[in-house]
Amino acid sequence: MTPTERQTWVRRMGTRDAWWALTPEYAIEPDWEVVDAHIHLWDERDFPDPEGGPTPLRTSRYMLPELLRDTRSGHRVAHCVYVECGSGYHTDGPSRFRPVGEAAFAAKMADSLLDFPAQTRIGAAVCHADLRDPDLGTVLDAYASEGGGLVRGVRQSGARLDDPSARLLAGAAPRGLYADPEFRRGLASLGERGLAFDAFLFHFQLGDLVEMARQAPDTTIVVNHAGAPIGYGGTAGPGDLFFDAWARQIERIADLPNLVMKLGGLASIVTGYDAHLRARPPSSDEFVTERGAYFRHAIRLLGADRCMFESNFPVDSTSIGYRTLWNAYKILAGEHRPEERRALLCDTARKTYRIQPRAGGEAR
């Protein structure tokens, strides 16, 4: 990906309203309750280029007005899980405490949503910390004091692409991070505090989860973006080189009892999905045809009680609209029994991040 392409698509995240409208859909099953297990909020700002170049990337703006635009588009989105993206960091003080500002930012956004009584809520936040830090405990204490009770997990990306030109917003993690003994000690300490760990890595790195999950059996590990399969295009399924490589990795980790998976991120440009270049966005049926095999394979191996859908907005918005994406998820969830469907759409996320249901519950 060229520097110009990176800049173009980072600027378009969350801003393609006219393009999304070219494939109009009504929200299907609008009474089915949804917990969106992975969203980001950021104001327009410069972001370091993961390729390491001197010119920063300039992000779009995706704040509460944009989130409400999407979550009001027809689906019953009861809660969202806010996931770290560098927003609101403290600008002074020791570097280890600067990410704590994001917990305060998430809490402020959650409080602001209370002004919209019938709308979505931020039910939990996942913030960044360096698990190798010998003073990790004081950082986690700060999250507890500044996060308004929302911080239910920590994310530290292990995603690494050796080719810098393939990186968009991620891919520059230190080599071997998840195997570091200091990291694994920090991982185990999260479980002692009742915090989950969100693991972001690419499919060819999923083997790194095996030993780390075994060494921290009391820590829930949440695999982001279905293990981020990359390198495929078009309709994928068994027999496809890249799908089969990803599927073998999922089979390796499926039996780890403390591992759950977010199903999403498969519209991201980094994966190789090409819908962002099309004249019109995919419909929900088209998306299920092209990407459904990934979701179905993960659900079959892990079970609905260990899988949850996520939008990964605004990152995935370059390739598909919010209403259409959740239509696709409801098509997939609707292939299962009602209790499994509810697990996929809301209950697994609630259990993992300790989110209380809103009054009224789901129309069942």
Side-chain angles (χ1 to χ4, degrees):
M1 189 178 299
T2 68
T4 299
E5 288 172 331
R6 282 198 300 280
Q7 190 66 262
T8 296
W9 293 111
V10 170
R11 289 289 288 166
R12 291 185 181 178
M13 290 177 179
T15 68
R16 305 196 74 188
D17 311 50
W19 183 72
W20 300 326
L22 296 176
T23 306
E25 293 189 3
Y26 292 106
I28 65 174
E29 302 293 355
D31 289 334
W32 287 2
E33 196 168 27
V34 165
V35 173
D36 188 338
H38 197 107
I39 61 101
H40 305 293
L41 295 173
W42 58 54
D43 210 344
E44 185 176 354
R45 63 185 173 92
D46 288 334
F47 187 95
D49 187 344
E51 186 179 3
T55 304
L57 303 178
R58 187 73 176 172
T59 69
S60 58
R61 180 184 188 274
Y62 196 82
M63 294 287 280
L64 293 186
E66 291 76 25
L67 177 68
L68 288 171
R69 173 202 64 199
D70 291 334
T71 56
R72 285 170 166 170
S73 63
H75 296 292
R76 190 180 175 192
V77 186
H79 289 99
C80 297
V81 178
Y82 175 90
V83 178
E84 60 92 17
C85 55
S87 294
Y89 274 30
H90 294 316
T91 57
D92 55 14
S95 59
R96 63 164 54 95
F97 291 108
R98 292 184 184 181
V100 176
E102 190 159 20
F105 170 82
K108 180 181 178 181
M109 296 297 101
D111 288 344
S112 296
L113 282 173
L114 297 177
D115 294 333
F116 303 90
Q119 303 306 318
T120 190
R121 296 285 181 263
I122 295 176
V126 176
C127 293
H128 172 78
D130 186 348
L131 269 61
R132 301 168 297 181
D133 186 350
D135 204 20
L136 175 64
T138 62
V139 176
L140 300 179
D141 289 342
Y143 276 128
S145 64
E146 294 194 34
L150 279 178
V151 179
R152 310 290 165 74
V154 167
R155 184 167 83 152
Q156 185 174 11
S157 174
R160 181 177 178 84
L161 293 171
D162 287 333
D163 177 7
S165 68
R167 301 169 185 167
L168 186 59
L169 289 178
R175 189 187 304 276
L177 173 65
Y178 287 177
D180 187 303
E182 296 298 327
F183 171 89
R184 291 184 175 180
R185 276 191 282 273
L187 179 69
S189 75
L190 295 182
E192 296 167 4
R193 290 174 175 255
L195 295 172
F197 177 69
D198 267 49
F200 176 28
L201 68 176
F202 297 115
H203 78 274
F204 52 82
Q205 299 177 287
L206 285 172
D208 295 350
L209 295 179
V210 176
E211 283 307 312
M212 65 180 265
R214 289 173 177 165
Q215 291 182 19
D218 296 325
T219 300
T220 297
I221 296 172
V222 184
V223 183
N224 287 188
H225 313 326
I230 64 172
Y232 60 85
T235 301
D240 174 83
L241 176 66
F242 297 107
F243 177 89
D244 289 346
W246 168 84
R248 287 192 295 270
Q249 294 296 328
I250 300 303
E251 290 159 8
R252 290 186 65 190
I253 65 173
D255 291 335
L256 299 170
N258 55 329
L259 183 149
V260 299
M261 180 171 286
K262 289 181 181 178
L263 301 179
L266 297 183
S268 168
I269 295 171
V270 174
T271 66
Y273 191 50
D274 66 355
H276 64 293
L277 300 173
R278 300 177 193 175
R280 62 170 187 81
S283 68
S284 54
D285 285 331
E286 288 170 336
F287 186 77
V288 169
T289 296
E290 294 171 345
R291 296 290 170 257
Y294 288 89
F295 298 104
R296 292 175 176 123
H297 186 73
I299 296 168
R300 183 165 58 250
L301 289 179
L302 278 79
D305 62 338
R306 293 170 59 203
C307 291
M308 62 187 106
F309 285 115
E310 51 153 337
S311 72
N312 194 33
F313 260 51
V315 177
D316 282 24
S317 70
T318 57
S319 298
I320 196 168
Y322 194 88
R323 179 169 53 225
T324 300
L325 181 63
W326 280 98
N327 276 350
Y329 290 163
K330 287 179 176 179
I331 291 169
L332 291 160
E335 297 173 354
H336 298 271
R337 297 191 301 270
E339 64 272 20
E340 294 172 325
R341 177 251 297 169
R342 290 191 293 268
L344 292 164
L345 292 175
C346 57
D347 289 350
T348 299
R350 284 202 178 106
K351 177 179 67 176
T352 301
Y353 293 113
R354 294 180 283 119
I355 301 170
Q356 293 299 314
R358 292 177 64 177
E362 179 186 358
R364 304 195 176 198

